[in-house]
Amino acid sequence: MRLGIDIDGTLNDFYSFLVDYGSKYSVENDIGWLENPEASMQTDMYGWSWEVGKAFWEKYAFVEMFDFPARAFAAEVLRKLQQEGKEIWIITARSNSDTEAEGMSGRSWEEITKAWLKREQIPYDEIAFSVTNKAEFCKENDVDVMVEDNPRFMGDFQGRTKLLIYDAPYNRRDESKDTTRVYSWYDAYRKIQRLEVR
């Protein structure tokens, strides 16, 4: 079995980052407030302009992509799955063309991401960056199961790849009969085992 694993919102708690750091930025700069806690983009959450959102990312993207820890048991569960013979593919939209941020010290986002995965002891067999159409990528690369949180990447998963949605307030309306919702990494483990048995 080949498993596709997203990073932001799946391996880390992207929602907590948006709420905690977005609220801080709003108060410190007296711009907006938490208007829409179910949004997946900071501009929609706080009613910010694109320019304000860009300034926020320039200040805090490194915090989200490197300083934030992995979710509880993510590394442990992925090691178990790998030991059981599953292939772990990290599939992310992160790209070296993303906004540069404070703290990068001249490193690329790919370097920072790989350093984060190593520090957090996240095992993987393959990694793919700049994947904006994850459904197509999974189809082309025979990915059996994709664990994803972002509604923008969920709509066109059909056919062979099974989609596990990592629960967050911003994705609770994005579900269909072909998806399974997961609430923790051990919950994901159990549901992956169940998919394999069928």
Side-chain angles (χ1 to χ4, degrees):
M1 179 183 280
R2 182 170 292 169
L3 303 175
I5 310 295
D6 171 54
I7 298 176
D8 300 301
T10 304
L11 286 177
N12 71 14
D13 190 352
F14 181 64
Y15 182 74
S16 290
F17 165 77
L18 287 180
V19 171
D20 294 341
Y21 283 83
S23 297
K24 172 182 167 66
Y25 193 77
S26 288
V27 169
E28 289 178 346
N29 295 281
D30 195 24
I31 44 170
W33 59 88
L34 187 55
E35 296 176 12
N36 184 1
E38 295 181 357
S40 63
M41 299 294 291
Q42 74 279 2
T43 49
D44 298 330
M45 273 186 145
Y46 296 96
W48 293 340
S49 67
W50 181 87
E51 291 80 10
V52 171
K54 184 174 185 296
F56 170 79
W57 276 108
E58 287 170 353
K59 183 165 183 65
Y60 288 122
F62 183 80
V63 171
E64 190 270 331
M65 294 192 194
F66 187 78
D67 289 346
F68 252 49
R71 287 185 185 269
F73 307 117
E76 185 174 311
V77 166
L78 291 177
R79 272 195 302 277
K80 282 173 71 71
L81 289 165
Q82 200 176 47
Q83 288 165 359
E84 293 168 6
K86 277 87 169 167
E87 284 183 39
I88 308 298
W89 284 39
I90 304 295
I91 303 170
T92 182
R94 289 184 179 189
S95 167
N96 283 338
S97 63
D98 289 344
T99 302
E100 288 195 23
E102 291 178 18
M104 289 180 70
S105 303
R107 293 176 291 173
S108 71
W109 283 121
E110 289 185 14
E111 291 170 319
I112 288 165
T113 299
K114 288 177 180 177
W116 181 83
L117 291 166
K118 182 176 182 179
R119 186 192 75 207
E120 296 297 316
Q121 300 179 1
I122 304 289
Y124 61 93
D125 297 291
E126 299 286 340
I127 188 166
F129 291 96
S130 307
V131 181
T132 55
N133 188 333
K134 293 186 181 180
E136 189 63 32
F137 180 90
C138 287
K139 182 179 177 183
E140 290 172 359
N141 291 280
D142 297 322
V143 174
D144 300 295
V145 177
M146 181 70 199
V147 186
E148 175 65 60
D149 71 299
N150 195 320
R152 292 180 299 162
F153 300 119
M154 292 179 188
D156 47 4
F157 275 86
Q158 292 179 6
R160 182 171 173 206
T161 303
K162 302 297 181 197
L163 180 62
L164 300 185
I165 300 172
Y166 205 108
D167 185 66
Y170 53 77
N171 66 28
R172 290 185 182 144
R173 295 182 192 151
D174 300 285
E175 202 159 358
S176 74
K177 62 184 172 99
D178 298 326
T179 63
T180 301
R181 187 164 291 274
V182 299
Y183 300 90
S184 72
W185 271 101
Y186 266 102
D187 185 46
Y189 177 77
R190 179 61 57 91
K191 289 171 179 172
I192 290 167
Q193 299 298 83
R194 197 178 302 156
L195 285 173
E196 192 175 36
V197 169
R198 291 181 185 167

